[in-house]
Short mmCIF file of all heavy atoms in Angstrom, two decimals:
data_model
loop_
_atom_site.label_atom_id
_atom_site.label_comp_id
_atom_site.label_asym_id
_atom_site.label_seq_id
_atom_site.Cartn_x
_atom_site.Cartn_y
_atom_site.Cartn_z
N GLU G 1 140.14 135.88 50.07
CA GLU G 1 140.13 135.28 51.39
C GLU G 1 138.69 134.64 51.57
O GLU G 1 138.55 133.84 52.51
CB GLU G 1 140.33 136.38 52.48
CG GLU G 1 139.30 137.53 52.54
CD GLU G 1 139.63 138.64 51.74
OE1 GLU G 1 140.71 138.64 51.07
OE2 GLU G 1 138.92 139.63 51.66
N TYR G 2 137.73 134.92 50.73
CA TYR G 2 136.42 134.25 50.77
C TYR G 2 136.22 133.19 49.73
O TYR G 2 135.10 132.78 49.47
CB TYR G 2 135.40 135.35 50.84
CG TYR G 2 135.31 136.18 51.97
CD1 TYR G 2 135.69 137.49 51.85
CD2 TYR G 2 134.98 135.69 53.22
CE1 TYR G 2 135.72 138.35 53.00
CE2 TYR G 2 134.94 136.45 54.33
CZ TYR G 2 135.27 137.72 54.24
OH TYR G 2 135.22 138.54 55.35
N ARG G 3 137.25 132.74 49.03
CA ARG G 3 137.16 131.87 47.91
C ARG G 3 136.56 130.49 48.35
O ARG G 3 135.92 129.88 47.41
CB ARG G 3 138.35 131.77 47.10
CG ARG G 3 139.46 130.99 47.83
CD ARG G 3 140.78 130.84 46.94
NE ARG G 3 141.85 130.39 47.69
CZ ARG G 3 142.73 131.16 48.40
NH1 ARG G 3 142.64 132.39 48.06
NH2 ARG G 3 143.71 130.59 49.07
N TRP G 4 136.82 130.07 49.53
CA TRP G 4 136.25 128.78 49.94
C TRP G 4 134.94 129.01 50.83
O TRP G 4 134.42 127.94 51.34
CB TRP G 4 137.26 128.08 50.83
CG TRP G 4 138.61 127.82 50.08
CD1 TRP G 4 139.78 128.43 50.45
CD2 TRP G 4 138.82 127.12 48.83
NE1 TRP G 4 140.74 128.00 49.49
CE2 TRP G 4 140.19 127.24 48.59
CE3 TRP G 4 138.02 126.39 48.06
CZ2 TRP G 4 140.75 126.65 47.39
CZ3 TRP G 4 138.67 125.72 46.91
CH2 TRP G 4 139.87 125.93 46.63
N ALA G 5 134.48 130.18 51.01
CA ALA G 5 133.31 130.33 51.77
C ALA G 5 132.00 129.65 51.10
O ALA G 5 131.97 129.71 49.90
CB ALA G 5 133.03 131.83 51.96
N GLY G 6 131.19 129.21 51.96
CA GLY G 6 129.99 128.48 51.54
C GLY G 6 130.18 126.99 51.35
O GLY G 6 129.28 126.23 51.33
N LEU G 7 131.46 126.40 51.39
CA LEU G 7 131.68 125.02 51.33
C LEU G 7 131.44 124.41 52.72
O LEU G 7 130.93 123.35 52.71
CB LEU G 7 133.12 124.70 50.95
CG LEU G 7 133.59 125.14 49.47
CD1 LEU G 7 134.99 124.83 49.24
CD2 LEU G 7 132.60 124.41 48.45
N GLU G 8 131.75 125.19 53.73
CA GLU G 8 131.50 124.70 55.09
C GLU G 8 130.83 125.90 55.83
O GLU G 8 131.17 127.00 55.53
CB GLU G 8 132.81 124.25 55.75
CG GLU G 8 133.43 123.08 55.32
CD GLU G 8 134.61 122.60 56.11
OE1 GLU G 8 134.86 123.21 57.18
OE2 GLU G 8 135.26 121.75 55.70
N PRO G 9 130.05 125.56 56.86
CA PRO G 9 129.45 126.77 57.46
C PRO G 9 130.56 127.46 58.25
O PRO G 9 131.50 126.84 58.80
CB PRO G 9 128.43 126.05 58.52
CG PRO G 9 128.33 124.67 58.20
CD PRO G 9 129.51 124.36 57.18
N PRO G 10 130.50 128.68 58.38
CA PRO G 10 131.51 129.59 59.16
C PRO G 10 131.39 129.30 60.60
O PRO G 10 130.39 128.90 61.21
CB PRO G 10 131.08 130.99 58.99
CG PRO G 10 129.64 131.00 58.58
CD PRO G 10 129.39 129.66 57.83
N LYS G 11 132.57 129.20 61.33
CA LYS G 11 132.73 129.03 62.70
C LYS G 11 133.09 130.48 63.24
O LYS G 11 134.14 131.01 63.11
CB LYS G 11 133.86 128.11 63.03
CG LYS G 11 133.58 126.65 62.76
CD LYS G 11 134.57 125.63 63.13
CE LYS G 11 134.79 125.68 64.62
NZ LYS G 11 135.81 124.58 64.97
N VAL G 12 132.16 130.96 63.85
CA VAL G 12 132.25 132.34 64.44
C VAL G 12 132.29 132.35 66.01
O VAL G 12 131.56 131.63 66.63
CB VAL G 12 130.97 133.25 63.95
CG1 VAL G 12 130.93 134.60 64.54
CG2 VAL G 12 130.70 133.29 62.48
N MET G 13 133.24 133.15 66.51
CA MET G 13 133.49 133.24 67.90
C MET G 13 133.23 134.68 68.24
O MET G 13 133.70 135.60 67.68
CB MET G 13 134.92 132.87 68.22
CG MET G 13 135.22 132.82 69.76
SD MET G 13 134.38 131.53 70.51
CE MET G 13 135.18 130.01 69.89
N VAL G 14 132.35 134.88 69.32
CA VAL G 14 131.98 136.15 69.85
C VAL G 14 132.52 136.33 71.19
O VAL G 14 132.48 135.50 72.11
CB VAL G 14 130.52 136.28 69.94
CG1 VAL G 14 130.08 137.66 70.49
CG2 VAL G 14 129.81 136.19 68.49
N THR G 15 133.26 137.49 71.48
CA THR G 15 133.84 137.70 72.80
C THR G 15 133.65 139.28 72.99
O THR G 15 133.16 139.97 72.23
CB THR G 15 135.28 137.28 72.92
OG1 THR G 15 135.69 137.41 74.21
CG2 THR G 15 136.18 138.11 72.02
N THR G 16 133.95 139.74 74.27
CA THR G 16 133.84 141.12 74.57
C THR G 16 135.20 141.55 75.05
O THR G 16 136.09 141.00 75.12
CB THR G 16 132.77 141.18 75.76
OG1 THR G 16 133.45 140.42 76.95
CG2 THR G 16 131.42 140.51 75.48
N SER G 17 135.13 142.91 75.32
CA SER G 17 136.18 143.58 75.86
C SER G 17 136.41 143.12 77.38
O SER G 17 135.57 142.35 77.80
CB SER G 17 135.98 145.07 75.82
OG SER G 17 134.82 145.46 76.47
N ARG G 18 137.50 143.46 77.91
CA ARG G 18 137.67 142.93 79.22
C ARG G 18 136.68 143.49 80.30
O ARG G 18 136.27 144.67 80.10
CB ARG G 18 139.12 143.31 79.80
CG ARG G 18 140.17 142.59 79.11
CD ARG G 18 141.50 142.85 79.72
NE ARG G 18 142.62 142.14 79.06
CZ ARG G 18 143.81 142.60 78.80
NH1 ARG G 18 144.03 143.74 79.31
NH2 ARG G 18 144.59 141.93 78.14
N ASP G 19 136.36 142.80 81.23
CA ASP G 19 135.51 143.05 82.43
C ASP G 19 134.14 143.70 81.77
O ASP G 19 133.89 144.89 82.09
CB ASP G 19 136.13 144.08 83.29
CG ASP G 19 135.42 144.25 84.64
OD1 ASP G 19 134.70 143.31 84.93
OD2 ASP G 19 135.55 145.30 85.23
N PRO G 20 133.43 142.89 80.97
CA PRO G 20 132.26 143.42 80.40
C PRO G 20 131.04 143.63 81.44
O PRO G 20 130.99 142.88 82.43
CB PRO G 20 131.79 142.32 79.38
CG PRO G 20 132.28 141.11 80.03
CD PRO G 20 133.60 141.51 80.69
N SER G 21 130.18 144.53 81.08
CA SER G 21 129.09 144.79 82.01
C SER G 21 127.95 143.68 81.64
O SER G 21 128.07 142.89 80.82
CB SER G 21 128.36 146.21 81.68
OG SER G 21 127.83 146.13 80.38
N SER G 22 126.96 143.50 82.48
CA SER G 22 125.95 142.48 82.24
C SER G 22 125.18 142.73 80.97
O SER G 22 124.84 141.70 80.35
CB SER G 22 125.02 142.48 83.50
OG SER G 22 124.40 143.70 83.66
N ARG G 23 124.98 143.96 80.56
CA ARG G 23 124.19 144.35 79.36
C ARG G 23 125.06 143.85 78.24
O ARG G 23 124.57 143.35 77.16
CB ARG G 23 123.96 145.78 79.25
CG ARG G 23 123.02 146.07 78.12
CD ARG G 23 122.54 147.46 78.13
NE ARG G 23 121.78 147.86 76.99
CZ ARG G 23 120.50 147.66 76.71
NH1 ARG G 23 119.74 146.99 77.55
NH2 ARG G 23 120.03 148.07 75.49
N LEU G 24 126.47 144.10 78.28
CA LEU G 24 127.27 143.70 77.09
C LEU G 24 127.28 142.10 77.05
O LEU G 24 127.29 141.61 75.84
CB LEU G 24 128.65 144.29 77.20
CG LEU G 24 129.54 144.02 76.06
CD1 LEU G 24 129.04 144.71 74.79
CD2 LEU G 24 130.97 144.40 76.34
N ARG G 25 127.31 141.43 78.12
CA ARG G 25 127.33 139.97 78.13
C ARG G 25 126.11 139.55 77.48
O ARG G 25 126.05 138.61 76.60
CB ARG G 25 127.41 139.45 79.53
CG ARG G 25 128.87 139.25 79.97
CD ARG G 25 128.97 138.48 81.20
NE ARG G 25 129.82 139.29 82.14
CZ ARG G 25 129.48 139.77 83.32
NH1 ARG G 25 128.27 139.38 83.85
NH2 ARG G 25 130.21 140.46 84.11
N LEU G 26 124.86 140.21 77.86
CA LEU G 26 123.61 139.72 77.32
C LEU G 26 123.53 140.04 75.75
O LEU G 26 123.02 139.27 75.02
CB LEU G 26 122.45 140.49 78.04
CG LEU G 26 121.04 140.11 77.66
CD1 LEU G 26 120.83 138.60 77.93
CD2 LEU G 26 120.10 140.95 78.45
N PHE G 27 124.10 141.19 75.36
CA PHE G 27 124.20 141.57 73.95
C PHE G 27 124.98 140.49 73.18
O PHE G 27 124.58 140.18 72.07
CB PHE G 27 124.66 142.98 73.72
CG PHE G 27 124.49 143.35 72.35
CD1 PHE G 27 123.40 143.71 71.74
CD2 PHE G 27 125.70 143.49 71.51
CE1 PHE G 27 123.27 144.09 70.45
CE2 PHE G 27 125.65 143.91 70.27
CZ PHE G 27 124.35 144.22 69.65
N ALA G 28 126.12 140.15 73.74
CA ALA G 28 126.99 139.09 73.04
C ALA G 28 126.16 137.78 72.91
O ALA G 28 126.24 137.15 71.87
CB ALA G 28 128.17 138.90 73.93
N LYS G 29 125.42 137.45 73.93
CA LYS G 29 124.65 136.16 73.87
C LYS G 29 123.58 136.31 72.75
O LYS G 29 123.47 135.41 72.01
CB LYS G 29 123.88 135.92 75.23
CG LYS G 29 123.15 134.73 75.38
CD LYS G 29 122.74 134.56 76.78
CE LYS G 29 121.97 133.31 76.96
NZ LYS G 29 121.41 133.18 78.40
N GLU G 30 122.94 137.53 72.70
CA GLU G 30 121.99 137.67 71.64
C GLU G 30 122.52 137.68 70.26
O GLU G 30 121.89 137.37 69.32
CB GLU G 30 121.09 138.89 71.89
CG GLU G 30 120.21 138.71 73.17
CD GLU G 30 119.23 139.64 73.34
OE1 GLU G 30 119.09 140.64 72.45
OE2 GLU G 30 118.34 139.64 74.33
N LEU G 31 123.72 138.30 70.12
CA LEU G 31 124.31 138.25 68.87
C LEU G 31 124.67 136.82 68.44
O LEU G 31 124.69 136.55 67.12
CB LEU G 31 125.72 139.07 69.04
CG LEU G 31 126.43 139.50 67.56
CD1 LEU G 31 125.51 140.26 66.71
CD2 LEU G 31 127.68 140.20 67.88
N CYS G 32 124.92 135.94 69.35
CA CYS G 32 125.19 134.53 68.95
C CYS G 32 123.73 133.92 68.47
O CYS G 32 123.94 133.00 67.62
CB CYS G 32 125.69 133.80 70.17
SG CYS G 32 127.40 134.18 70.56
N LEU G 33 122.78 134.44 68.97
CA LEU G 33 121.47 133.88 68.44
C LEU G 33 121.20 134.46 67.01
O LEU G 33 120.50 133.88 66.08
CB LEU G 33 120.29 134.30 69.39
CG LEU G 33 120.36 133.62 70.78
CD1 LEU G 33 119.28 134.21 71.67
CD2 LEU G 33 120.18 132.15 70.70
N LEU G 34 121.68 135.66 66.73
CA LEU G 34 121.56 136.23 65.45
C LEU G 34 122.37 135.54 64.43
O LEU G 34 121.88 135.27 63.28
CB LEU G 34 121.80 137.76 65.49
CG LEU G 34 121.86 138.47 64.18
CD1 LEU G 34 120.35 138.54 63.67
CD2 LEU G 34 122.46 139.89 64.34
N LEU G 35 123.54 135.03 64.79
CA LEU G 35 124.49 134.39 63.89
C LEU G 35 124.50 132.79 64.24
O LEU G 35 124.97 132.46 65.16
CB LEU G 35 125.88 134.86 64.06
CG LEU G 35 126.14 136.39 63.91
CD1 LEU G 35 127.48 136.70 64.39
CD2 LEU G 35 126.11 136.71 62.38
N PRO G 36 123.72 132.10 63.37
CA PRO G 36 123.52 130.66 63.69
C PRO G 36 124.99 129.98 63.72
O PRO G 36 125.91 130.21 62.92
CB PRO G 36 122.81 130.16 62.42
CG PRO G 36 122.12 131.26 61.90
CD PRO G 36 123.10 132.47 62.10
N GLY G 37 125.12 129.20 64.78
CA GLY G 37 126.42 128.43 64.96
C GLY G 37 127.47 129.39 65.66
O GLY G 37 128.64 128.61 65.97
N ALA G 38 127.29 130.47 65.94
CA ALA G 38 128.29 131.34 66.73
C ALA G 38 128.29 130.82 68.06
O ALA G 38 127.33 130.48 68.72
CB ALA G 38 127.90 132.79 66.62
N ARG G 39 129.64 130.92 68.64
CA ARG G 39 129.81 130.57 69.95
C ARG G 39 130.34 131.77 70.76
O ARG G 39 131.11 132.56 70.18
CB ARG G 39 130.72 129.38 70.11
CG ARG G 39 130.11 128.16 69.41
CD ARG G 39 131.07 127.02 69.41
NE ARG G 39 131.50 126.63 70.65
CZ ARG G 39 132.54 125.79 70.93
NH1 ARG G 39 133.06 125.21 69.91
NH2 ARG G 39 132.91 125.57 72.09
N ARG G 40 129.98 131.88 72.03
CA ARG G 40 130.54 132.99 72.87
C ARG G 40 131.63 132.43 73.80
O ARG G 40 131.55 131.37 74.31
CB ARG G 40 129.33 133.50 73.68
CG ARG G 40 129.66 134.79 74.49
CD ARG G 40 128.35 135.34 75.08
NE ARG G 40 127.68 134.38 75.87
CZ ARG G 40 127.81 134.24 77.16
NH1 ARG G 40 128.57 134.92 77.84
NH2 ARG G 40 127.04 133.38 77.78
N MET G 41 132.69 133.33 73.89
CA MET G 41 133.80 132.90 74.70
C MET G 41 134.09 134.00 75.73
O MET G 41 134.11 135.17 75.42
CB MET G 41 135.01 132.75 73.77
CG MET G 41 136.41 132.44 74.62
SD MET G 41 137.75 132.17 73.48
CE MET G 41 137.88 133.62 72.59
N ASN G 42 134.18 133.60 77.07
CA ASN G 42 134.58 134.51 77.98
C ASN G 42 136.09 134.81 77.80
O ASN G 42 136.91 134.06 77.75
CB ASN G 42 134.35 133.91 79.45
CG ASN G 42 132.87 133.69 79.70
OD1 ASN G 42 132.07 134.35 79.21
ND2 ASN G 42 132.56 132.66 80.50
N ARG G 43 136.38 136.17 77.71
CA ARG G 43 137.70 136.66 77.50
C ARG G 43 138.61 136.50 78.67
O ARG G 43 139.72 136.20 78.53
CB ARG G 43 137.68 137.95 76.95
CG ARG G 43 138.97 138.51 76.55
CD ARG G 43 138.96 139.83 75.94
NE ARG G 43 140.28 140.31 75.63
CZ ARG G 43 140.50 141.38 75.02
NH1 ARG G 43 139.52 142.07 74.51
NH2 ARG G 43 141.76 141.89 74.77
N GLY G 44 138.05 136.93 79.80
CA GLY G 44 138.92 136.91 81.05
C GLY G 44 140.03 137.92 80.88
O GLY G 44 139.81 139.05 80.49
N ARG G 45 141.28 137.56 81.21
CA ARG G 45 142.27 138.59 81.09
C ARG G 45 143.27 138.28 79.77
O ARG G 45 144.32 138.73 79.74
CB ARG G 45 143.21 138.45 82.35
CG ARG G 45 142.58 138.80 83.53
CD ARG G 45 143.55 138.80 84.74
NE ARG G 45 142.90 139.19 85.99
CZ ARG G 45 142.80 140.49 86.40
NH1 ARG G 45 143.30 141.38 85.71
NH2 ARG G 45 142.20 140.57 87.52
#
């Protein structure tokens, strides 16, 4: 499953469980800073 890894940068999506606390939202944001190119998505319902 990783045979093509490295040819293009990974596209990483970070989301949380439903109804996240403010601390979990902040941690998700910081995890996106740790992983270059990662994007955060609000999960909603």
Side-chain angles (χ1 to χ4, degrees):
E1 62 271 2
Y2 293 110
R3 71 179 166 264
W4 305 114
L7 296 178
E8 290 183 11
K11 286 180 72 176
V12 179
M13 187 67 68
V14 178
T15 190
T16 62
S17 56
R18 289 190 182 143
D19 193 25
S21 66
S22 60
R23 183 167 175 90
L24 186 65
R25 272 190 234 122
L26 186 58
F27 186 73
K29 187 176 179 180
E30 291 193 0
L31 192 59
C32 289
L33 293 174
L34 177 67
L35 300 166
R39 296 176 55 192
R40 190 169 50 94
M41 176 174 60
N42 292 331
R43 180 171 177 176
R45 295 184 182 270

